[in-house]
Amino acid sequence: MTHSMRTDTHTPHFGSGGDWRDTAVRYALLPLRVFLGVTFIYAGLDKITDSAFMKDAGAGSIGDMMRAVRDSSAIPALVDLSLKSPVGFGYAIAFGELAVGIGTLLGLLARLAALGGALISLSLWLTVSWASDPYYYGNDLAYLMAWIPLVLAGAPLLSVDAALRSRRRQRTAGYR
């Protein structure tokens, strides 16, 4: 008599058996995805709607902020690049945050969205919050680390990506 061991411990669908720990494992990244998605959407909208932020100079402007952090950043050349067109850079960051937030929240191209979020967080850490002392006072490093699990895992549940994957599987199963 042959015995086999089941190795697929993570079932892909809600309510497919298992105990509460299996369910918790499957849904573990969902709160992180919701938090980062909502936060990045909010950050992007906050920048776009702040008339003071989207200016070359003046109190609260992107231009003044970048000039203030230029000498204390890890990569001053990156700040210099942003200072060639501070308003354009501000809009690029804001729309990038919006795209990342929407993609993450919906789970649409989730790994790509998470990579975008990680790159935005990395660039902000190396420029704006680099001088935070001690380093853990700057939140951009924590955001960078929070994006990494989503870059690795994507959005396997409750996402557009999962729905598209399931649809593809059904279509290919029909061809057999």
Side-chain angles (χ1 to χ4, degrees), residues 4-10:
S4 65
M5 181 186 297
R6 192 167 173 195
T7 59
D8 59 333
T9 58
H10 301 287

Side-chain angles (χ1 to χ4, degrees), residues 21-61:
R21 286 172 285 216
D22 292 333
T23 301
V25 166
R26 283 194 303 275
Y27 289 87
L29 290 179
L30 192 58
L32 182 62
R33 206 176 100 208
V34 170
F35 170 75
L36 289 172
V38 168
T39 300
F40 268 57
I41 289 170
Y42 180 80
L45 289 174
D46 190 41
K47 287 173 180 65
I48 290 170
T49 59
D50 184 353
S51 59
F53 182 78
M54 291 298 182
K55 294 195 176 184
D56 287 336
S61 71

Side-chain angles (χ1 to χ4, degrees), residues 85-175:
S85 177
V87 174
F89 177 73
Y91 277 111
I93 290 291
F95 285 117
E97 287 172 337
L98 272 174
V100 162
I102 291 168
T104 301
L105 201 55
L106 296 177
L108 177 62
L109 302 173
R111 282 190 171 108
L112 182 62
L115 180 61
L119 291 174
I120 289 171
S121 298
L122 176 64
S123 67
L124 292 174
W125 176 55
L126 292 173
T127 56
V128 178
S129 63
W130 182 256
S132 296
D133 188 33
Y135 75 92
Y136 50 83
Y137 280 174
N139 63 358
D140 295 311
L141 179 58
Y143 279 105
L144 172 61
M145 293 299 113
W147 282 113
I148 302 229
L150 295 179
V151 169
L152 296 172
L157 294 167
L158 300 177
S159 67
V160 174
D161 289 349
L164 292 173
R165 214 173 14 259
S166 175
R167 193 170 181 194
R168 266 191 313 267
R169 257 190 249 121
Q170 288 173 353
R171 223 178 313 147
T172 57
Y175 291 125

Side-chain angles (χ1 to χ4, degrees), residues 76-89:
L78 192 58
V79 178
D80 291 339
L81 182 63
S82 73
L83 285 170
K84 290 182 188 237
S85 177
V87 174
F89 177 73

